[in-house]
C-alpha cells in the first residue's frame, strides 16, 4: 500500500471512529468491559492493560473487521490478549513499563547486535548462556538467535520451516532454557531477538499434517487446490523465490490429490491469512514467544503473507493491515517488544513497512539496499550509487530505524538501482554477472571468494554467498600466503565495518566476522545442506581461532581489536545516536565516500576509500580542527590523504 492509500485508510478509520458512535462504540465498550470483568484479578496491573486496550482497541477492531468482519473471532482475540498479559511475568511487565517510558531505548548509539545460529556458536541454548561473557567482550547488547524452533532435519531451510512454534529444537534445548537465557541476557542488559516465521509452516506442523489427511478445517489454513487451474493463474503473476533450488509456487501432494501453495521450499506451506483462525493462532504464538522474554521479533518474509490472484503476492495492502495489528497487539500486551521486519526489497517497497509516524508498523527494518550497494561498491570501486543510496536513507524521518549489516545468514541479492546505473551505461544482467564474477574470483585481479546462489541462467539472476572476510580477500591471500594481501584485506574488512558502524541505525555484526572467519566448505559433504550454498557462510564458529584475538599481529587480533575500538568510539560519542543528522559530501573522487553526522554537540566526518590506491579526499570542511577518533591524530578536514581501502573518523566538538 502506498503512503497515500494508507493515509486514506487512516483518515477513514478516524472519521468512522468519530462519526459513528453507535454499533462500533457500543461493541468496543462491551469488549473492554467483558475482558475487564472476566479478569479483574490483579488490580495492580489490570489498570495498565485496560488503559492500553482502551487506547488501541478502536483501531485494532477497525482493522480486524476490515479484514475479517468476524466479531466473535475478534472477541476471542481480545480475550486471549488479556490472558497473555496475565501470564506475562512481573519482570517482563516491569521492563515493558521501563521501555514505554523510554520509547527510544533501542535507538541509542550503544546498541550493537550480533547474529548467530545457536549450534554454530555454542552448541545449544545453555552454551549460549555460558558464552555471554564473550558476547559482552564484543560490546554486544542485542543478540539475534537464528531460528531455533522445532524443524524437520533435512527439510528445515535453516530453521525457517517451523514444525512447532512452541517447541525448541531438541538438540538446542527447551523453552525453559530459552526463558533462562532471556533472563540471563536481561540481567546483563542484552536484548534477545528471534525469528517469527509467519508466512508458512513446515509440512510437519500439526496443522499441515491434519490438512494432508484431508481435514477441511486445517486445509483452509493453507492454500489447497484440487486441480492446476488456480495454481497456473497464480504462476502467471507470482515471481519465484528459489528458481533453481525450488522452482514454482505450488507443490503437488499425490496422497490427497491436491496442490498446496509453497512460495519457498516445497516443505514450507504458505499460511492463509484470509482465515482469521490463522491470524489469531499466529498472534497467540507470537505472544507466547514474547512471554518467554524475547525483546525483538523478526517478522520473517513479511511482504509475502497475503496472497491474491492476479497480483505478485508481495506487499499487498492487507500485509500492512496485519503488521499494524501486530504492532497494536504488542503495544497492548508487551510494549517492551519491538518488531523487526524482514523486507529484502528495493527501498520504495521497504519504507512503507515503517507505517506512518502516527500509525507505525515495524520498529526496525533491514537496510538491505545499502548492504548490497556496499558490495557493489567494493567490486566497482565507484561510490556514486552508494552515495545516492545513503542520500535516500538519510532523507527519511528519524523515527525510521534501520538495522545495518554487512553480511547475514542469507545470500546477497543484487537488488540495486539499475535505473541510476543506466546513466553509466551499466545494464542489469551484465552487471550482475560482473559482480558475481568479481566475488567468485572469476574476474581478473579479484580477491573475493564467494559462491553463487540460485543461479537462474534464464534471467541471469544469480545471488552471492560468502563471509565478509572471504569477500574481502582474507581467504584468498591467506591461502596464498600473501602477507601484504592479507594485511590489505584486513584493512578493507575494518573499513567496511567502520562504514557500517557509522551509518544511520543499529549495526549488527555477523558472528565470526569479528575474527575474520572465512567460508566453510564442509556443507558440501552434508547431503542435507549441499544444495544450499548459503551454508557456505553458516559455518561453525571457530573457537580454536578465537583466542588469537588477544594476539595483536594475527588476523583475528587485528580485526577484533579494531572493531572493539570502533564500537567503543561509537558508543561514547553522541553523534552516533540515530537522532543525529546525516548527509554525504563530495570528495571529488569517485572511489571515496564521505559522510557527515552532526548533532548539537559534535560534527563527525567518516571518509572511506574503496580503491586499492592511496588517494586524497578533496573535502573542504573549513570549520576547525578535527581529531581522527581512530588514530587520535588531529588534522584539518581538507584534502585528506587516505590510504588504499582505509578510512578516517574525523570528529570535532562544537
Ligand atoms: C527469510 C530468511 C531465509 C528463508 C526465507 C524463507 O528470507 O531470511 O533464510 O529462506 O525467509 O523462510
Amino acid at each position: 500500500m502506498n503512503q497515500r492509500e494508507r493515509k486514506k485508510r487512516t483518515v477513514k478509520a478516524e472519521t468512522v471512529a468519530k462519526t459513528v458512535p453507535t454499533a462500533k462504540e457500543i461493541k468496543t465498550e462491551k469488549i473492554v468491559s467483558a475482558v475487564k470483568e472476566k479478569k479483574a484479578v490483579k488490580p495492580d496491573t489490570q489498570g495498565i492493560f485496560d488503559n492500553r486496550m482502551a487506547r488501541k482497541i478502536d483501531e485494532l477492531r477497525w482493522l480486524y473487521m476490515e479484514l475479517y468482519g468476524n466479531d466473535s473471532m475478534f472477541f476471542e482475540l481480545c480475550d486471549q490478549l488479556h490472558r497473555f498479559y496475565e501470564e506475562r511475568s512481573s519482570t517482563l511487565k516491569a521492563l515493558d513499563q521501563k521501555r514505554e517510558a523510554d520509547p527510544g531505548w533501542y535507538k541509542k548509539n550503544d546498541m550493537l547486535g550480533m547474529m548467530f545460529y545457536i549450534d554454530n556458536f555454542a552448541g545449544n541454548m545453555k552454551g549460549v548462556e555460558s558464552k555471554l561473557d564473550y558476547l559482552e567482550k564484543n560490546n554486544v547488547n542485542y543478540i539475534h538467535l537464528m531460528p531455533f524452533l522445532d524443524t524437520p532435519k533435512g527439510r528445515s531451510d535453516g530453521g525457517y520451516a517451523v514444525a512447532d512454534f512452541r517447541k525448541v529444537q531438541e538438540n538446542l534445548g527447551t523453552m525453559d532454557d530459552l526463558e533462562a537465557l532471556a533472563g540471563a541476557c536481561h540481567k546483563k542488559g542484552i536484548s534477545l531477538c528471534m525469528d517469527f516465521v509467519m508466512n508458512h509452516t513446515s509440512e510437519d506442523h500439526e496443522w499441515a499434517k491434519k490438512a494432508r489427511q484431508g481435514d477441511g478445517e486445517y486445509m483452509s489454513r493453507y492454500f489447497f487446490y484440487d486441480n492446476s487451474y488456480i495454481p497456473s493463474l497464480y504462476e502467471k503473476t507470482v515471481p519465484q523465490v528459489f528458481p533453481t533450488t525450488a522452482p514454482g509456487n505450488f507443490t503437488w501432494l499425490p496422497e490427497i490429490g491436491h496442490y498446496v501453495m509453497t512460495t519457498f521450499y516445497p516443505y514450507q506451506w504458505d499460511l492463509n491469512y484470509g482465515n482469521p483462525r490463522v491470524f489469531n493462532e499466529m498472534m497467540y504464538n507470537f505472544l507466547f514467544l514474547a512471554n518467554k522474554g524475547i525483546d525483538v521479533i523478526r517478522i520473517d518474509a513479511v511482504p509475502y503473507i497475503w496472497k491474491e490472484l492476479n497480483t505478485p503476492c508481495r506487499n499487498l495492502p492487507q500485509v500492512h493491515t496485519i503488521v499494524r495489528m501486530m504492532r497494536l497487539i504488542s503495544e497492548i500486551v508487551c510494549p517492551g517488544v519491538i518488531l523487526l521486519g524482514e523486507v529484502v526489497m528495493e527501498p520504495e517497497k521497504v519504507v512503507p513497512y515503517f507505517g506512518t509516524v502516527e500509525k507505525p508498523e515495524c520498529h526496525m527494518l533491514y537496510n538491505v539496499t545499502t548492504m548490497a550497494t556496499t558490495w557493489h561498491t567494493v567490486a566497482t570501486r565507484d561510490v556514486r550509487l552508494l552515495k545516492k543510496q545513503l542520500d535516500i536513507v538519510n532523507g527519511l524521518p528519524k523515527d525510521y530505524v534501520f538495522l545495518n549489516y554487512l553480511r547475514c545468514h542469507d545470500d546477497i541479492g543484487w537488488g540495486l538501482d539499475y535505473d541510476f546505473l543506466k546513466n553509466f551505461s551499466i545494464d542489469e544482467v551484465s552487471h550482475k554477472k560482473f559482480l558475481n564474477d568479481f566475488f567468485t574470483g572469476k574476474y581478473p585481479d579479484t580477491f573475493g571468494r564467494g559462491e553463487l546462489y540460485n543461479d537462474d541462467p534464464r534471467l541471469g539472476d544469480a545471488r552471492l554467498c560468502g563471509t565478509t572476510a572471504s569477500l574481502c580477500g582474507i581467504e584468498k591471500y591467506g591461502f596464498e600466503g600473501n602477507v601484504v594481501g592479507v594485511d590489505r584485506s584486513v584493512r578493507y574488512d575494518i573499513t567496511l565495518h567502520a562504514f557500517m558502524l557509522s551509518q544511520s541505525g543499529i549495526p549488527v555484526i555477523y558472528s565470526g566476522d569479528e575474527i575474520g572467519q572465512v567460508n566453510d566448505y564442509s556443507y558440501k559433504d552434508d547431503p542435507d545442506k549441499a544444495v544450499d550454498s548459503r551454508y557456505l557462510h553458516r559455518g561453525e564458529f571457530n573457537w580454536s581461532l578465537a583466542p588469537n584475538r588477544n594476539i595483536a599481529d594475527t588476523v583475528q587480533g587485528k580485526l577484533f581489536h579494531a572493531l572493539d575500538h570502533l564500537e567503543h568510539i561509537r558508543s561514547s560519542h553522541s553523534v552516533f545516536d540515530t537522532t543525529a543528522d546525516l548527509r554525504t559530501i563530495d570528495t571529488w573522487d569517485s572511489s571515496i565516500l564521505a559522510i557527515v553526522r552532526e548533532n548539537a554537540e559534535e560534527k563527525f566526518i567518516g571518509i572511506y576509500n574503496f580503491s586499492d590506491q592511496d588517494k586524497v579526499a578533496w573535502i573542504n570542511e573549513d570549520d576547525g580542527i578535527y581529531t581522527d577518533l581512530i588514530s587520535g591524530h588531529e588534522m584539518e578536514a581538507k584534502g585528506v590523504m587516505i590510504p588504499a581501502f582505509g578510512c578516517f573518523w574525523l570528529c570535532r566538538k562544537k
Side-chain angles (χ1 to χ4, degrees):
M1 175 172 20
N2 61 37
Q3 296 284 345
R4 209 145 117 233
E5 281 167 338
R6 223 208 313 265
K7 216 164 163 190
K8 236 164 78 191
R9 190 186 73 190
T10 307
V11 171
K12 210 166 110 194
E14 280 167 0
T15 321
V16 171
K18 280 187 200 115
T19 56
V20 188
T22 51
K24 185 178 157 286
E25 281 197 0
I26 293 162
K27 271 259 166 63
T28 301
E29 189 122 309
K30 247 170 66 188
I31 291 169
V32 176
S33 58
V35 170
K36 248 194 238 174
E37 231 169 74
K38 243 176 134 179
K39 311 276 163 33
V41 264
K42 285 190 184 159
D44 52 333
T45 58
Q46 178 68 44
I48 295 175
F49 177 82
D50 291 343
N51 269 336
R52 291 189 197 139
M53 191 63 147
R55 272 186 281 127
K56 317 270 174 196
I57 194 167
D58 273 354
E59 190 193 346
L60 183 59
R61 184 171 189 279
W62 171 268
L63 296 172
Y64 197 93
M65 289 303 148
E66 184 184 49
L67 214 53
Y68 301 123
N70 188 325
D71 247 326
S72 63
M73 289 295 289
F74 183 66
F75 185 82
E76 180 203 286
L77 177 73
C78 293
D79 200 37
Q80 290 295 310
L81 298 194
H82 192 273
R83 183 171 76 82
F84 281 104
Y85 176 76
E86 286 280 284
E87 285 172 10
R88 195 160 170 78
S89 73
S90 51
T91 321
L92 292 177
K93 282 179 181 167
L95 192 59
D96 287 338
Q97 279 180 268
K98 196 170 148 211
R99 289 177 176 171
E100 261 185 318
D102 177 21
W105 68 269
Y106 61 94
K107 301 179 180 177
K108 309 232 158 85
N109 54 324
D110 67 341
M111 270 299 265
L112 177 70
M114 183 170 272
M115 59 187 293
F116 51 78
Y117 276 97
I118 294 172
D119 48 352
N120 285 341
F121 179 66
N124 55 30
M125 294 261 180
K126 287 204 165 83
V128 176
E129 203 176 323
S130 71
K131 301 265 189 240
L132 289 182
D133 287 355
Y134 175 77
L135 293 170
E136 280 186 306
K137 284 192 189 114
N138 279 275
N139 311 309
V140 161
N141 53 7
Y142 157 88
I143 54 179
H144 177 179
L145 302 174
M146 297 302 293
F148 53 77
L149 294 175
D150 197 25
T151 184
K153 195 172 161 358
R155 289 172 292 125
S156 77
D157 183 24
Y160 287 95
V162 177
D164 187 340
F165 289 93
R166 302 196 182 195
K167 185 171 178 247
V168 173
Q169 286 165 38
E170 269 164 24
N171 57 320
L172 300 181
T174 62
M175 275 296 162
D176 287 345
D177 293 343
L178 175 65
E179 232 173 325
L181 174 59
C185 284
H186 288 159
K187 280 201 186 112
K188 290 180 178 288
I190 298 176
S191 302
L192 214 51
C193 169
M194 76 172 284
D195 290 85
F196 186 55
V197 187
M198 66 185 289
N199 176 67
H200 44 258
T201 73
S202 152
E203 62 178 342
D204 283 19
H205 188 277
E206 184 200 346
W207 297 355
K209 284 185 183 158
K210 289 187 175 152
R212 203 193 276 272
Q213 285 158 9
D215 185 330
E217 159 64 25
Y218 292 91
M219 287 170 84
S220 72
R221 297 184 188 191
Y222 300 94
F223 296 89
F224 272 88
Y225 302 98
D226 63 5
N227 65 66
S228 63
Y229 179 62
I230 303 281
S232 71
L233 293 183
Y234 272 110
E235 294 292 10
K236 284 189 185 156
T237 55
V238 184
Q240 303 192 31
V241 178
F242 300 139
T244 319
T245 47
N249 288 292
F250 288 85
T251 299
W252 172 246
L253 304 174
E255 63 280 29
I256 58 161
H258 272 76
Y259 288 90
V260 66
M261 187 186 280
T262 53
T263 303
F264 292 85
Y265 282 106
Y267 50 76
Q268 289 164 307
W269 294 7
D270 289 71
L271 284 168
N272 174 11
Y273 279 90
N275 179 345
R277 173 55 58 209
V278 168
F279 175 79
N280 281 22
E281 294 295 334
M282 289 303 282
M283 290 307 103
Y284 308 154
N285 286 332
F286 154 49
L287 294 173
F288 172 87
L289 294 164
N291 277 357
K292 296 290 160 207
I294 300 296
D295 305 275
V296 182
I297 292 278
R298 174 187 182 271
I299 320 177
D300 181 60
V302 60
Y304 300 79
I305 60 179
W306 191 271
K307 316 293 192 298
E308 204 85 51
L309 259 186
N310 304 317
T311 74
C313 294
R314 312 277 197 269
N315 307 304
L316 297 179
Q318 293 86 343
V319 174
H320 291 278
T321 306
I322 289 175
V323 179
R324 177 69 188 145
M325 285 200 285
M326 232 174 134
R327 172 82 179 235
L328 291 167
I329 287 170
S330 73
E331 285 175 355
I332 292 168
V333 182
C334 47
V337 173
I338 60 172
L339 305 177
L340 162 65
E342 192 227 1
V343 186
V344 180
M345 293 182 174
E346 53 273 40
E348 43 302 0
K349 300 209 170 116
V350 174
V351 170
Y353 286 87
F354 281 118
T356 60
V357 174
E358 305 78 43
K359 299 203 182 287
E361 294 175 21
C362 293
H363 297 79
M364 285 199 291
L365 291 166
Y366 286 91
N367 198 348
V368 57
T369 308
T370 302
M371 180 279 292
T373 309
T374 303
W375 291 109
H376 148 96
T377 311
V378 170
T380 58
R381 301 170 188 177
D382 185 330
V383 301
R384 283 174 291 186
L385 180 62
L386 189 55
K387 183 174 183 308
K388 179 178 182 249
Q389 164 63 16
L390 293 178
D391 289 340
I392 294 175
V393 173
N394 298 338
L396 296 170
K398 298 253 170 35
D399 306 73
Y400 296 176
V401 178
F402 280 102
L403 196 142
N404 298 308
Y405 61 113
L406 288 173
R407 292 296 297 115
C408 71
H409 68 296
D410 276 333
D411 47 290
I412 304 171
W414 299 116
L416 306 172
D417 184 345
Y418 291 101
D419 281 339
F420 180 74
L421 289 176
K422 268 191 207 140
N423 296 326
F424 313 101
S425 307
I426 293 177
D427 130 273
E428 179 167 347
V429 171
S430 57
H431 189 57
K432 283 180 178 168
K433 183 167 174 351
F434 160 72
L435 295 170
N436 286 326
D437 285 352
F438 183 96
F439 285 113
T440 52
K442 287 204 191 96
Y443 199 74
D445 292 335
T446 59
F447 44 75
R449 282 291 174 270
E451 283 188 354
L452 297 188
Y453 176 67
N454 266 280
D455 184 7
D456 185 347
R458 281 174 316 128
L459 302 173
D461 195 23
R463 284 118 77 173
L464 185 88
C465 298
T467 68
T468 306
S470 288
L471 298 182
C472 283
I474 294 176
E475 179 179 334
K476 172 189 150 79
Y477 295 125
F479 182 75
E480 292 170 358
N482 179 340
V483 180
V484 177
V486 170
D487 234 39
R488 259 176 24 151
S489 301
V490 168
R491 191 185 323 144
Y492 208 3
D493 192 321
I494 294 168
T495 290
L496 294 181
H497 276 96
F499 168 54
M500 194 263 287
L501 287 161
S502 63
Q503 286 166 33
S504 174
I506 307 303
V508 174
I509 312 263
Y510 191 55
S511 167
D513 279 1
E514 76 278 18
I515 54 163
Q517 195 154 314
V518 296
N519 293 337
D520 179 352
Y521 296 90
S522 68
Y523 80 95
K524 292 177 197 273
D525 306 326
D526 181 340
D528 289 343
K529 296 179 176 167
V531 289
D532 194 332
S533 51
R534 290 177 297 177
Y535 286 99
L536 181 68
H537 51 252
R538 293 178 185 172
E540 270 182 30
F541 183 78
N542 196 329
W543 286 106
S544 60
L545 283 179
N548 287 356
R549 68 184 186 277
N550 300 316
I551 307 172
D553 63 352
T554 59
V555 167
Q556 296 75 26
K558 285 179 190 158
L559 269 166
F560 193 88
H561 171 77
L563 296 197
D564 179 61
H565 186 42
L566 293 169
E567 288 153 8
H568 274 112
I569 297 172
R570 185 176 175 274
S571 61
S572 54
H573 286 263
S574 65
V575 75
F576 288 100
D577 207 88
T578 53
T579 49
D581 283 327
L582 241 110
R583 62 179 194 277
T584 59
I585 51 173
D586 272 325
T587 62
W588 307 103
D589 187 306
S590 63
S591 298
I592 306 177
L593 181 80
I595 57 177
V596 173
R597 301 183 68 107
E598 202 160 357
N599 67 4
E601 290 125 39
E602 293 173 315
K603 178 169 170 188
F604 164 92
I605 310 172
I607 315 174
Y608 308 94
N609 184 356
F610 284 83
S611 118
D612 58 356
Q613 306 292 315
D614 298 348
K615 295 241 175 175
V616 176
W618 293 110
I619 57 170
N620 189 17
E621 299 296 294
D622 195 7
D623 51 8
I625 293 294
Y626 285 76
T627 305
D628 173 29
L629 299 174
I630 301 174
S631 64
H633 294 149
E634 290 202 335
M635 51 174 38
E636 288 192 301
K638 288 183 192 175
V640 179
M641 293 272 295
I642 179 164
F645 299 140
C647 65
F648 283 111
W649 271 11
L650 306 186
C651 191
R652 74 169 177 80
K653 287 250 176 285
K654 286 190 168 172

Coordinates of all heavy atoms in Angstrom, one line a residue, residues 157 160 197 200 242 264 268 298 300-301 342 409-410 534 538, ligand 1:
D157 N 15.2 -25.5 5.8 CA 15.5 -24.2 5.3 C 16.2 -23.4 6.4 O 15.8 -22.3 6.7 CB 14.2 -23.5 4.8 CG 14.6 -22.1 4.2 OD1 15.7 -21.9 3.7 OD2 13.7 -21.3 4.1
Y160 N 13.8 -22.2 9.0 CA 12.7 -21.3 8.6 C 11.5 -22.2 8.1 O 10.6 -21.7 7.5 CB 13.1 -20.4 7.5 CG 14.0 -19.3 8.0 CD1 15.4 -19.3 8.0 CD2 13.4 -18.1 8.6 CE1 16.2 -18.3 8.5 CE2 14.2 -17.1 9.2 CZ 15.6 -17.2 9.1 OH 16.3 -16.2 9.7
V197 N 8.5 -16.9 12.0 CA 8.3 -17.2 10.6 C 6.8 -17.4 10.4 O 6.2 -18.4 10.6 CB 9.1 -18.6 10.3 CG1 9.0 -18.9 8.8 CG2 10.5 -18.5 10.8
H200 N 4.7 -19.1 6.6 CA 4.4 -20.5 6.3 C 4.8 -21.4 7.5 O 5.4 -20.9 8.5 CB 5.3 -21.0 5.1 CG 6.7 -20.5 5.2 ND1 7.2 -19.4 4.5 CD2 7.8 -20.9 5.9 CE1 8.4 -19.2 4.7 NE2 8.8 -20.0 5.6
F242 N 13.0 -19.2 -5.1 CA 14.2 -20.1 -5.3 C 14.0 -20.7 -6.7 O 13.7 -21.9 -6.8 CB 14.2 -21.2 -4.2 CG 14.3 -20.7 -2.8 CD1 13.5 -21.3 -1.8 CD2 15.2 -19.6 -2.5 CE1 13.6 -20.9 -0.5 CE2 15.3 -19.2 -1.1 CZ 14.5 -19.8 -0.2
F264 N 8.2 -20.8 -0.9 CA 9.6 -21.0 -0.7 C 9.9 -22.5 -1.0 O 9.7 -22.9 -2.2 CB 10.0 -20.6 0.8 CG 9.9 -19.1 1.0 CD1 8.7 -18.5 1.3 CD2 11.0 -18.3 0.8 CE1 8.6 -17.1 1.4 CE2 10.9 -16.9 0.9 CZ 9.7 -16.4 1.2
Q268 N 7.6 -26.0 2.8 CA 7.1 -24.8 3.6 C 5.8 -24.4 3.0 O 5.7 -23.8 1.9 CB 8.1 -23.7 3.5 CG 9.4 -23.9 4.2 CD 10.5 -23.0 3.8 OE1 10.9 -22.9 2.6 NE2 11.2 -22.3 4.8
R298 N 11.7 -10.8 14.9 CA 12.0 -10.6 13.4 C 10.9 -11.2 12.6 O 10.7 -12.4 12.6 CB 13.3 -11.2 13.1 CG 13.7 -11.1 11.6 CD 15.0 -11.9 11.4 NE 15.4 -11.9 10.0 CZ 15.1 -12.8 9.1 NH1 14.2 -13.7 9.3 NH2 15.6 -12.7 7.9
D300 N 9.7 -12.7 9.7 CA 10.4 -13.3 8.5 C 9.5 -13.1 7.3 O 8.3 -13.2 7.4 CB 10.6 -14.7 8.8 CG 11.3 -15.4 7.7 OD1 12.4 -15.0 7.3 OD2 10.7 -16.4 7.1
A301 N 10.1 -12.8 6.2 CA 9.5 -12.8 4.9 C 8.1 -12.0 4.9 O 7.1 -12.5 4.3 CB 9.3 -14.2 4.4
E342 N 11.5 -8.1 8.0 CA 12.5 -8.6 7.0 C 11.9 -8.3 5.7 O 11.0 -9.1 5.2 CB 12.8 -10.1 7.2 CG 14.0 -10.5 6.3 CD 13.8 -11.8 5.5 OE1 12.7 -12.4 5.5 OE2 14.7 -12.1 4.8
H409 N 22.8 -14.4 7.4 CA 22.8 -15.8 7.1 C 22.3 -16.0 5.6 O 22.5 -17.1 5.1 CB 21.8 -16.5 8.0 CG 20.4 -16.0 7.8 ND1 20.0 -14.7 8.0 CD2 19.3 -16.7 7.3 CE1 18.7 -14.6 7.6 NE2 18.3 -15.8 7.2
D410 N 21.8 -15.0 5.0 CA 21.3 -15.1 3.6 C 22.3 -14.7 2.6 O 23.3 -14.1 2.9 CB 20.0 -14.3 3.5 CG 18.8 -15.2 3.9 OD1 18.8 -16.4 3.9 OD2 17.8 -14.5 4.4
R534 N 24.0 -21.2 0.8 CA 24.1 -20.2 1.9 C 24.8 -20.8 3.1 O 25.3 -20.1 4.0 CB 22.6 -19.8 2.3 CG 22.0 -19.0 1.3 CD 20.5 -18.6 1.7 NE 19.7 -19.8 1.8 CZ 18.4 -19.8 2.1 NH1 17.8 -18.7 2.4 NH2 17.7 -21.0 2.2
R538 N 27.6 -20.2 6.8 CA 26.9 -20.5 8.0 C 27.7 -21.6 8.8 O 27.2 -22.5 9.4 CB 25.5 -21.1 7.8 CG 24.5 -20.0 7.2 CD 23.2 -20.7 6.9 NE 22.3 -19.8 6.2 CZ 21.1 -20.1 5.7 NH1 20.7 -21.4 5.8 NH2 20.3 -19.2 5.2
Ligands
LIG1 C1 13.8 -15.4 5.0 C2 15.0 -16.0 5.6 C3 15.5 -17.0 4.7 C4 14.5 -18.1 4.4 C5 13.2 -17.4 4.0 C6 12.0 -18.4 4.0 O1 14.0 -14.7 3.9 O2 16.0 -15.0 5.9 O3 16.7 -17.6 5.2 O4 14.9 -19.0 3.4 O5 12.8 -16.4 4.8 O6 11.5 -18.5 5.3

